């Protein structure tokens, strides 16, 4: 499959869209991005391309304007491996992370819901430093420790397991909280 076409303006993009019957989602996103850059509103884009659903243009626009030309071409060349759902889920991630995830799709199948989790910072293949912290902290404390980290927001949560109310009070004291002082 060849690369995406080189289109100069909105008129040429609309003509290309209407002239082809089996466009890939990557081509559609690319064309919607061109029309957006040319100043067309979502309503104008829907009318020009004959798209019925509002959310279709919204999804294509988000992806088309976020992804680089290289990412759009990678998607265009691999439409059975990379879907609109995949690209939509990761469109807001940094470019380096997006390309790494898209290239990963070429070697293994990953469901869209996992990509959505990654985009929300609930990535299962977490950073090795976070995993190491989790393991060492669990060993030192003698209990299960879970760390959830959102790399986009640079925030997260820490979960400690406890075994009974006495153990809970012990953890509270270790964290500097004394219930008797506040009750």
């Amino acid at each position: 499959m060849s690369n995406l076409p080189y289109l100069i303006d909105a008129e040429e993009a609309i003509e290309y869209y209407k002239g082809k019957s089996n466009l890939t989602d990557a081509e559609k996103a690319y064309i919607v991005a061109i029309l957006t850059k040319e100043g067309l509103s979502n309503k104008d884009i829907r009318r020009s391309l004959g798209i019925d659903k509002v959310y279709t243009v919204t999804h294509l626009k988000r992806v088309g304007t976020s992804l680089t030309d290289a990412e759009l071409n990678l998607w265009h060349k691999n439409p059975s491996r990379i879907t609109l759902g995949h690209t939509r889920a990761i469109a807001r991630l940094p470019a380096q992370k997006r390309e790494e995830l898209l290239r990963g799709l070429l070697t293994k199948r990953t469901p869209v819901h996992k990509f959505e989790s990654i985009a929300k910072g609930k990535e299962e293949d977490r950073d090795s430093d976070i995993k190491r912290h989790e393991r060492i902290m669990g060993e030192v404390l003698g209990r299960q420790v879970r760390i959830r980290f959102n790399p986009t927001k640079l925030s997260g949560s820490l979960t400690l397991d406890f075994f009974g109310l006495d153990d809970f009070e012990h953890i509270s004291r270790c964290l500097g909280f004394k219930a008797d002082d506040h009750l």
Side-chain angles (χ1 to χ4, degrees), residues 86-150:
H86 288 108
T87 56
R88 203 179 97 234
I90 62 168
R92 290 195 172 107
L93 292 177
Q96 182 180 2
K97 184 73 170 173
R98 282 194 318 257
E99 187 168 345
E100 176 187 320
L101 290 167
L102 290 174
R103 291 201 178 280
L105 280 173
L106 301 179
T107 58
K108 65 178 185 175
R109 293 194 184 274
T110 306
V112 172
H113 70 84
K114 177 160 182 170
F115 267 60
E116 290 169 345
S117 294
I118 291 168
K120 292 176 185 172
K122 298 176 184 174
E123 184 175 358
E124 289 183 27
D125 301 326
R126 294 170 294 160
D127 185 270
S128 60
D129 289 337
I130 298 293
K131 287 181 181 178
R132 188 170 21 116
H133 258 81
E134 190 176 75
R135 182 182 50 77
I136 292 170
M137 189 181 284
E139 290 172 2
V140 168
L141 296 174
R143 65 187 73 253
Q144 171 94 28
V145 174
R146 286 176 301 287
I147 299 173
R148 287 183 47 211
F149 178 66
N150 183 332

Side-chain angles (χ1 to χ4, degrees), residues 9 12 16 32 34 51 60-62 67 82 98-99 106 112 115 130 137-138 171 174 177 181:
D9 59 13
E12 196 173 299
Y16 180 83
V32 168
I34 290 171
I51 298 174
L60 292 170
K61 183 177 182 176
R62 178 185 314 155
L67 269 58
I82 302 171
R98 282 194 318 257
E99 187 168 345
L106 301 179
V112 172
F115 267 60
I130 298 293
M137 189 181 284
I171 292 171
C174 289
F177 178 75
D181 293 348

